Amino acid sequence: MDPRVEKFMAQIIAKNPSEVEFHQAVLEVAESIIPFIEENPKYKHAKIMERVSEPERVMMFRIPWLDDKGEVQVNRGFRIEMNSAIGPYKGGLRFHPTVNLGILKFLAFEQVFKNSLTTLPMGGGKGGSDFDPKGKSDNEVMRFCQSLMTELSRHIGPNTDVPAGDIGVGGREIGYLFGQYKRIRNEFTGVLTGKAIEWGGSLIRPEATGYGTVYFAEEMLKTRGDSIKGKTVAISGSGNVAQFATEKATEYGGKVVTLSDSGGYIYDPDGIDAEKLAWVMDLKNVRRGRISEYAEKYNVDYHEGQRPWGVKCDIALPCATQNEVNEEEAKTLVKNGCYVVSEGANMPSTPEAIEAFLASRILYGPGKAANAGGVAVSGLEMSQNSLRLSWTREEVDERLLNIMKSIHQTCVKFGKESDGYTNYVNGANIGGFVKIADAMLAQGVV
Ligand code: NDP
């Protein structure tokens, strides 16, 4: 490791002990940025890298609620307000039993760079709780969301901090959260994104992350005169991002052969067409069932406890969670002919997996660039709320496509190497960093 990076990371680790995902996210950025800063000393003297790695504010609070049996339950809530140099804090809420401070700090840190890449005026934040929505009734989810928002409402606002969804937080949860905010504050504002269209949401927001990931893959392929058409695609996850990545990849002429959840993955060699996808959406969003049921319904193989990366494919779209592609799986993907990876999830590849992708010179689009479509359309939802107008589906989709193209161009601008290969990791990190760093320089030591 570069000794300057090593020294910087030693401070991060000492200051944030046991936050391993946060260390991982900062290291990935530091490896791109620290050499860049050496060539641009104004950022070094202002200690920009040290400042962007320190949250502006962290809230951690108790969330007590009553379950259906009348028993008291206690969860922990968080909101990380990471950086507001270029706009209000913006980033999702995650409800998952694994949630802790380190995971949310990694997500908030990534969000800062991602939001900068979108070209929209949004700072970075993230939040959530160790609450597990699985197996809970709608009433339990509602009471939990109301309790969380009772505290969170003190800290957020349309010009301060605008949360959205993430793992475990979809339309149902955003509805309950928004209702409680509105009741407490007595104001109808765009304080959350991912709202339903009838009460301030944007068309294309549910689709945006998955669609954007596919748009980014198509842009990467174009640089080699290629396209998704006719390609075999492996996707992990079966939630919001995976569902709409499947929809768009299929629309672009690809054949999606896998989906997964935390129980395992299904392999459908005939492809998950529109009709089968509609069934998956009902299974996951309405009946809240398991992906194994797909195997029974369509008579295909189900691989319990496994991830889909051993399957032969041209394109891989990891859309489930962090660190879901390890070094061995990355090497297997490449060996089996995969030459495009576009990340719908946040930090799904381990550092060793990323190294394997870059070493084999495949088209590798890291999450902070490839999955920025979700937050981009959240930014467009904020704009529509401020204007008190709703744009059409076509208009929002066109803006999304243009933003993904612009992010791709930024990555190429900052990531192209002397042999012509684009290192999208460097491109996204440096491209995202410059705008934030310049804003921080202009605003002084705050
Ligand atoms: P959902 O909750 O809708 O779906 C998550 C999917 O991933 C489910 O299939 C879930 O399976 C699976 N999953 C979650 N945790 C694990 C785990 N530890 N091991 C294996 N599988 C797991 O979330 P989203 O689709 O919204 O988010 C997916 C990823 O995309 C996350 O990394 C998120 O941060 C990222 N992302 C989401 C955005 C959005 O707009 N929603 C925006 C940008 C990034 P199971 O149901 O069994 O838990």
Side-chain angles (χ1 to χ4, degrees), residues 332-351:
T332 304
L333 277 168
V334 174
K335 192 174 79 193
N336 286 339
C338 174
Y339 65 104
V340 184
V341 176
S342 186
E343 295 183 340
N346 283 307
M347 207 168 76
S349 306
T350 64

Side-chain angles (χ1 to χ4, degrees), residues 95 131-139 141-142 145 166-176 238-240 243 261-262 278-293:
F95 294 171
F131 174 75
D132 187 358
K134 278 200 200 93
K136 304 290 190 301
S137 70
D138 285 353
N139 279 333
V141 172
M142 179 181 75
C145 287
D166 190 74
I167 291 178
V169 180
R172 174 183 62 170
E173 291 75 17
I174 295 290
Y176 295 146
S238 49
N240 171 266
Q243 291 170 15
D261 61 22
S262 51
W279 187 87
V280 170
M281 287 182 173
D282 182 66
L283 172 77
K284 284 291 171 183
N285 310 345
V286 182
R287 289 184 283 137
R288 300 188 188 269
R290 310 304 300 157
I291 202 66
S292 56
E293 295 169 49

Side-chain angles (χ1 to χ4, degrees), residues 216-443:
F216 197 84
E218 186 78 350
E219 287 306 302
M220 291 197 292
L221 278 158
K222 267 192 211 161
T223 64
R224 296 188 181 177
D226 205 348
S227 77
I228 291 170
K229 197 164 191 278
K231 305 294 185 304
T232 300
V233 185
I235 296 185
S236 63
S238 49
N240 171 266
V241 180
Q243 291 170 15
F244 289 105
T246 302
E247 183 169 288
K248 189 54 77 177
T250 307
E251 203 183 299
Y252 271 20
K255 182 168 79 168
V256 178
V257 293
T258 65
L259 282 174
S260 72
D261 61 22
S262 51
Y265 78 91
I266 57 104
Y267 175 61
D268 185 343
D270 295 334
I272 300 160
D273 61 18
E275 192 193 320
K276 291 173 184 169
L277 178 62
W279 187 87
V280 170
M281 287 182 173
D282 182 66
L283 172 77
K284 284 291 171 183
N285 310 345
V286 182
R287 289 184 283 137
R288 300 188 188 269
R290 310 304 300 157
I291 202 66
S292 56
E293 295 169 49
Y294 182 103
E296 289 157 29
K297 167 88 180 160
Y298 293 107
N299 197 22
V300 300
D301 289 343
Y302 173 62
H303 301 263
E304 193 173 342
Q306 289 181 47
R307 301 191 285 225
W309 313 127
V311 163
K312 191 170 162 43
C313 64
D314 305 299
I315 302 171
L317 307 177
C319 294
T321 193
Q322 65 273 2
N323 292 328
E324 55 159 322
V325 187
N326 64 27
E327 181 178 14
E328 199 190 320
E329 289 164 321
K331 287 183 174 163
T332 304
L333 277 168
V334 174
K335 192 174 79 193
N336 286 339
C338 174
Y339 65 104
V340 184
V341 176
S342 186
E343 295 183 340
N346 283 307
M347 207 168 76
S349 306
T350 64
E352 298 77 21
I354 297 174
E355 229 175 279
F357 291 142
L358 295 179
S360 58
R361 308 307 245 185
I362 68 160
L363 296 166
Y364 168 67
K368 64 169 77 71
N371 72 34
V375 73
V377 174
S378 276
L380 301 179
E381 183 173 330
M382 290 166 73
S383 306
Q384 292 169 79
N385 291 163
S386 299
L387 291 166
R388 300 196 188 284
L389 283 174
S390 285
W391 296 332
T392 63
R393 199 180 158 81
E394 292 69 31
E395 189 166 357
V396 180
D397 199 17
E398 195 185 334
R399 285 178 194 260
L400 168 63
L401 178 61
N402 286 334
I403 289 172
M404 296 314 297
K405 285 182 176 176
S406 149
I407 295 172
H408 181 267
Q409 278 166 7
T410 303
C411 290
V412 172
K413 179 177 165 193
F414 289 101
K416 200 163 206 150
E417 298 183 347
S418 51
D419 63 357
Y421 175 70
T422 298
N423 180 326
Y424 288 90
V425 176
N426 282 340
N429 288 339
I430 300 171
F433 175 81
V434 169
K435 185 171 162 194
I436 302 155
D438 287 342
M440 289 174 76
L441 282 182
Q443 292 166 21

